[in-house]
């Protein structure tokens, strides 16, 4: 058996940094896997939109989810449009001539236990035609069935798009 003493080259001073590093690595790995699970839910939303598949879209939302869009009107007034998630899900599933193609990039993905926040700049296309850009801000929670979107707010504009 290994004894920790002054004469033994294995000492608490040498082992403690290794133990701390291992604990931190494990927590970071768990955090990364949760962030990837959250990203997967967000990707599924946009894949469902692109395919016009309301079942794929419905699966990512909590039943009480709310969607809001913030945009500046032609008169310069900032307006908030509210839509129940079910109305959006229904719209996705209705036949439409152009593909709804929202191309996102993941900005920040923050996870704290059962709650996550995601920031995704985007460019939206109807078919191949550019429509508008902005940022999505998602709030999710981890249910027994996995991550679900509780809240989504986005900005919309046609100018100053990256």
């Amino acid at each position: 058996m290994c004894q920790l003493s002054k004469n033994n080259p294995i000492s608490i001073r040498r082992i403690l940094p290794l133990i701390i590093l291992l604990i931190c690595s494990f927590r970071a790995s768990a955090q990364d896997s949760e962030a990837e699970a959250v990203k997967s839910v967000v990707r599924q939303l946009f894949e469902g939109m692109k395919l016009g598949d309301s079942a794929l879209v419905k699966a990512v939302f909590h039943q009480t989810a709310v969607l809001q869009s913030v945009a500046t009107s032609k008169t310069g007034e900032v307006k908030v449009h509210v839509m129940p998630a079910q109305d959006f899900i229904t719209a996705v599933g209705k036949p439409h001539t152009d593909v709804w193609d929202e191309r996102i990039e993941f900005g920040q993905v923050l996870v704290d236990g059962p709650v996550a926040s995601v920031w995704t700049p985007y460019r939206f296309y109807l078919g191949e035609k550019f429509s508008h850009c902005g940022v999505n801000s998602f709030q999710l929670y981890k249910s027994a069935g996995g991550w679900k979107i509780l809240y989504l707010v986005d900005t919309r504009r046609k100018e100053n798009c990256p």
Side-chain angles (χ1 to χ4, degrees):
M1 178 169 219
C2 180
Q3 281 190 333
L4 300 176
S5 68
K6 283 185 177 181
N7 297 332
N8 192 332
I10 300 175
S11 70
I12 288 292
R13 288 182 204 171
R14 291 185 185 187
I15 293 176
L16 191 57
L18 180 60
I19 292 170
I20 291 170
L21 179 64
L22 288 172
I23 290 169
C24 290
S25 295
F26 176 75
R27 290 192 77 206
S29 175
Q31 183 82 356
D32 289 347
S33 69
E34 287 300 331
E36 282 306 313
V38 167
K39 286 181 179 181
S40 177
V41 169
V42 172
R43 284 187 197 105
Q44 181 176 327
L45 167 64
F46 295 113
E47 184 65 19
M49 281 175 55
K50 192 171 184 178
L51 296 172
D53 186 336
S54 59
L56 268 181
V57 172
K58 183 176 183 172
V60 300
F61 284 107
H62 182 268
Q63 67 225 20
T64 63
V66 175
L67 286 68
Q68 293 181 316
S69 291
V70 179
T72 304
S73 71
K74 290 179 182 179
T75 63
E77 181 183 359
V78 176
K79 295 193 173 198
V80 178
H81 174 75
V82 180
M83 175 185 282
Q86 187 55 54
D87 291 358
F88 175 71
I89 293 164
T90 300
V92 166
K94 284 186 180 175
H96 39 275
T97 55
D98 293 313
V99 172
W100 295 358
D101 185 8
E102 189 157 337
R103 301 172 190 177
I104 65 167
E105 295 178 17
F106 284 97
Q108 281 196 305
V109 178
L110 304 171
V111 179
D112 184 30
V115 174
S117 179
V118 180
W119 187 264
T120 62
Y122 74 89
R123 293 176 61 93
F124 185 84
Y125 293 81
L126 286 170
E128 292 300 315
K129 184 180 177 192
F130 173 76
S131 174
H132 59 276
C133 69
V135 172
N136 298 307
S137 175
F138 293 89
Q139 299 300 311
L140 300 92
Y141 89 106
K142 190 171 185 179
S143 71
W147 288 97
K148 299 290 180 185
I149 299 168
L150 288 170
Y151 180 68
L152 168 58
V153 61
D154 66 64
T155 59
R156 295 183 186 188
R157 63 183 180 278
K158 293 186 181 278
E159 297 89 30
N160 301 320
C161 296

